[in-house]
Amino acid sequence: WNRLSYSSSMKVCQQLGMHLATASEFKTLRDSGVMEKNKWPLQLPYWGKDKKGLFADREPNQLTGTSLLNVICVK
């Protein structure tokens, strides 16, 4: 797992033909149980659309973009 800044996360997802997850897409993923089943890291947040920090155990939080967070890209 790589932790990247917001701008680097956006670039990676764009290169893959994907985008950073919205809060609702992340919630759907969390509710599916896939993250636990596949042992995804849950201690640190993931970058989400519009510089939102997507947390496994609480509501999304607006961030500045400089933090190094996990990256999740979706189609």
Side-chain angles (χ1 to χ4, degrees):
W1 286 92
N2 291 321
R3 289 181 294 184
L4 302 173
S5 68
Y6 180 77
S7 61
S8 295
S9 299
M10 290 269 301
K11 287 177 189 174
V12 166
C13 289
Q14 288 172 348
Q15 289 171 346
L16 295 170
M18 303 171 95
H19 64 272
L20 289 171
T22 64
S24 63
E25 288 170 331
F26 188 73
K27 182 177 179 348
T28 298
L29 179 62
R30 290 289 301 125
D31 292 346
S32 74
V34 168
M35 295 176 89
E36 289 83 1
K37 180 181 175 190
N38 293 305
K39 298 183 173 129
W40 290 22
L42 299 174
Q43 290 72 30
L44 291 175
Y46 289 79
W47 276 118
K49 185 177 179 181
D50 300 325
K51 295 184 184 174
K52 296 281 171 100
L54 304 175
F55 296 83
D57 59 350
R58 59 185 164 134
E59 292 298 312
N61 195 12
Q62 189 67 52
L63 302 172
T64 63
T66 58
S67 300
L68 299 179
L69 304 182
N70 293 314
V71 179
I72 183 169
C73 303
V74 296
K75 286 187 175 188

